[in-house]
């Protein structure tokens, strides 16, 4: 009995010791889990309260650096711009600014041109960087992308310079011609000749001012405010009528074809101006005794049916190097020929803006010496769709127009 009692006592003592050891181990494990580690010192926990929320709503790219120049917090935009790589700030000038600010506590700002990530063309990314202290150990870097703002400013400067030049040319010519008329007051033939030239320059000036007004209107106006179903047949007829006199003078035949009864949704005035510019360009840049064709058709597209209006000419064509630039303001493939035809270089820019504001696009196909085809693609007016099956229309780039209606 004594032996059994001794064994039972030893077993009880051993059980108590095991329980105590397990409890101590558990408490030690809990203490380890709550103790800050070296890794946790560089997480969001070191940021002052509320800073993380503020940084998440800023439009600027934000980077927070600690005393060892390690990135504590960085926005997704900062990674997209390539500012942060491998947990470090990758832009040396910004890193130097952060170190100087950490040393003396002064706020610094600078504008830099950075190379774009993933491009081998040397394109610069214009940014504005501002560094400020954040608490006692952290530094906040805010970076604004100025690339688009600079591009818009460059376009604005070019536009003002081009407008000034384009206005100066006809006004200067009118001034010289008026002096010539005064000097030739005793020569009726000279007066008649100079007066004719003055009319030409006055017409060019009027056209330029009108197209500047049209361009400003299509840029500022919302076509959805006065949108309506617009008949494509009426747009084509109006565009042909607009260029009828010039075409008759050059003995150019204008032909319309394709599917009838199509409608697009938008501003009738803007759409008429856009298509009218395309037809007018085709007539102006076509030699005499040729043909200009206008045809419309409906094509299926993933986002809904589109209406294609193609204007084809047999003119001089456009070189490959100029195809991407013909829709720029004041850009001319042949400046000398544009002066002869009275072109302002704004017509295709207006077409591009109208197409974009109506949810469409304008494209060009051209071969030098063979002619060009400008295609205006616009969403079909859903409330005015033609319920009849559309007759097939051949590609105006490769096939002649079907059964055209020849207009004088």
């Amino acid at each position: 009995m004594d032996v059994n009692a001794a064994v039972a006592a030893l077993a009880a003592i051993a059980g108590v010791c095991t329980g105590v050891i397990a409890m101590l181990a558990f408490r030690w494990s809990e203490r380890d889990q709550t103790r800050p580690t070296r890794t946790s010192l560089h997480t969001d926990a070191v940021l002052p309260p509320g800073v993380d929320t503020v940084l998440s709503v800023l439009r600027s790219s934000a980077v927070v650096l600690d005393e060892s120049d390690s990135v504590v917090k960085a926005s997704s935009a900062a990674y997209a711009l390539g500012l942060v790589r491998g947990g470090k700030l990758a832009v040396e000038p910004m890193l130097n600014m952060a170190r100087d600010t950490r040393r003396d506590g002064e706020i610094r700002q600078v504008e830099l041109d950075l190379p774009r990530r993933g491009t081998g063309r040397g394109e610069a990314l214009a940014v504005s960087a501002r560094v400020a202290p954040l608490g006692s150990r952290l530094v906040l870097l805010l970076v604004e992308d100025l690339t688009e703002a600079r591009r818009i400013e460059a376009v604005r400067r070019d536009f003002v310079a081009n407008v000034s030049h384009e206005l100066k040319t006809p006004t200067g010519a009118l001034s010289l011609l008026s002096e010539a008329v005064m000097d030739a007051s005793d020569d009726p033939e000279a007066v008649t000749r100079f007066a004719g030239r003055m009319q030409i320059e006055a017409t060019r000036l009027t056209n330029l001012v009108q197209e500047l007004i049209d361009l400003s209107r299509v840029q500022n106006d919302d076509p959805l405010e006065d949108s309506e179903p617009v008949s494509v047949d009426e747009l084509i007829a109006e565009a042909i009528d607009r260029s009828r006199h010039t075409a008759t003078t050059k003995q150019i035949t204008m032909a319309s074809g394709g599917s009838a009864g199509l409608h697009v949704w938008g501003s009738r005035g803007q759409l008429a101006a856009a298509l009218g510019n395309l037809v007018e360009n085709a007539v102006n840049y076509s030699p005499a005794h040729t043909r200009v064709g206008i045809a419309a058709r409906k094509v299926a597209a993933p986002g809904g049916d589109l209406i294609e209006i193609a204007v084809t000419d047999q003119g001089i064509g456009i070189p490959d190097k100029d195809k991407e630039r013909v829709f720029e303001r004041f850009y001319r493939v042949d400046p000398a020929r544009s002066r002869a035809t009275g072109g302002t270089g704004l017509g295709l820019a207006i077409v591009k803006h109208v197409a974009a504001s109506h949810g469409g696009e304008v494209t060009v196909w051209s071969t030098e010496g063979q002619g060009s085809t400008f295609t205006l693609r616009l969403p079909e007016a859903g409330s005015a769709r033609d319920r009849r099956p559309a007759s097939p229309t051949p590609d105006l780039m490769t096939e002649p127009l079907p059964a055209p209606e020849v207009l004088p």
Side-chain angles (χ1 to χ4, degrees):
M1 287 294 294
D2 293 338
V3 175
N4 292 336
V7 172
L10 289 175
I13 294 172
V16 171
C17 292
T18 302
V20 171
I21 293 173
M23 183 180 297
L24 291 174
F26 178 75
R27 296 294 298 274
W28 185 265
S29 175
E30 281 189 331
R31 184 181 301 177
D32 262 359
Q33 291 179 6
T34 56
R35 181 182 301 170
T37 63
R38 178 176 299 179
T39 304
S40 65
L41 290 176
H42 299 289
T43 63
D44 296 346
V46 302
L47 292 177
V51 173
D52 192 11
T53 303
V54 173
L55 295 182
S56 65
V57 299
L58 286 177
R59 298 181 62 181
S60 306
S61 302
V63 181
V64 178
L65 303 176
D66 63 9
E67 66 275 9
S68 62
D69 293 333
S70 296
V71 175
V72 177
K73 179 74 176 179
S75 64
S76 57
Y79 286 99
L81 290 179
L83 304 179
V84 178
R85 298 176 190 172
K88 295 289 184 179
L89 186 61
V91 183
E92 191 66 25
M94 295 182 187
L95 187 58
N96 293 333
M97 287 175 56
R99 291 168 178 169
D100 294 340
T101 296
R102 186 185 300 111
R103 184 179 63 253
D104 55 26
E106 292 186 4
I107 298 176
R108 290 174 169 81
Q109 184 169 352
V110 67
E111 292 189 1
L112 301 171
D113 290 333
L114 307 178
R116 285 184 183 270
R117 295 184 62 186
T119 61
R121 296 174 292 179
E123 296 180 353
L125 187 70
V127 298
S128 174
R130 185 178 179 87
V131 181
L134 184 64
S136 59
R137 298 186 301 112
L138 304 180
V139 174
L140 173 63
L141 171 67
L142 296 178
V143 180
E144 287 281 350
D145 186 357
L146 304 179
T147 307
E148 184 65 15
R150 285 192 179 181
R151 186 192 68 81
I152 294 175
E153 181 62 28
V155 170
R156 184 181 294 110
R157 288 196 304 268
D158 292 343
F159 181 73
V160 172
N162 285 325
V163 168
S164 302
H165 174 73
E166 295 294 335
L167 290 174
K168 184 178 179 180
T169 300
T171 53
L174 286 172
S175 178
L176 293 175
L177 288 169
S178 63
E179 294 178 3
V181 169
M182 294 178 62
D183 295 338
S185 57
D186 57 347
D187 186 352
E189 292 185 1
V191 170
T192 302
R193 184 172 66 255
F194 291 141
R197 291 291 307 277
M198 291 179 68
Q199 288 182 342
I200 294 174
E201 296 298 333
T203 301
R204 178 177 299 173
L205 182 60
T206 301
N207 292 339
L208 175 59
V209 173
Q210 183 59 50
E211 290 201 342
L212 285 172
I213 294 173
D214 292 341
L215 181 60
S216 176
R217 181 179 295 115
V218 300
Q219 286 181 314
N220 297 326
D221 291 352
D222 184 2
L224 297 180
E225 291 182 357
D226 57 347
S227 59
E228 59 180 333
V230 181
S231 170
V232 175
D233 296 336
E234 294 178 3
L235 292 178
I236 293 175
E238 187 174 337
I240 290 176
D241 188 64
R242 171 175 165 178
S243 300
R244 188 187 303 276
H245 176 72
T246 305
T248 302
T249 302
K250 299 175 66 174
Q251 298 183 7
I252 293 176
T253 301
M254 289 192 291
S256 62
S259 303
L262 301 177
H263 291 76
V264 293
W265 188 269
S267 169
R268 178 183 177 81
Q270 291 189 16
L271 294 173
L275 186 58
N277 286 343
L278 290 181
V279 175
E280 188 175 19
N281 272 6
V283 172
N284 287 338
Y285 288 92
S286 292
H289 308 288
T290 57
R291 187 178 72 163
V292 171
I294 309 98
R297 66 176 178 179
K298 180 169 65 174
V299 296
D305 292 343
L306 296 176
I307 302 300
E308 287 189 350
I309 308 173
V311 180
T312 303
D313 63 60
Q314 297 172 321
I316 58 176
I318 303 172
D320 291 338
K321 63 182 180 64
D322 296 313
K323 290 179 182 178
E324 296 298 325
R325 301 194 60 190
V326 293
F327 297 103
E328 296 179 10
R329 303 167 184 169
F330 297 109
Y331 186 80
R332 297 182 177 94
V333 176
D334 186 353
R337 187 177 180 89
S338 295
R339 285 193 295 269
T341 59
T344 63
L346 290 174
L348 292 179
I350 293 174
V351 176
K352 179 180 178 181
H353 279 288
V354 171
S357 64
H358 284 74
E361 64 174 352
V362 59
T363 58
V364 59
W365 170 93
S366 184
T367 300
E368 288 188 84
Q370 296 184 19
S372 306
T373 295
F374 285 85
T375 303
L376 184 62
R377 294 184 179 90
L378 300 167
E380 184 190 19
S383 61
R385 290 179 180 174
D386 187 358
R387 301 300 180 182
R388 296 169 299 174
S391 58
T393 303
D395 191 344
L396 292 177
M397 301 180 185
T398 57
E399 299 184 27
L401 292 170
E405 174 193 354
V406 178
L407 303 175

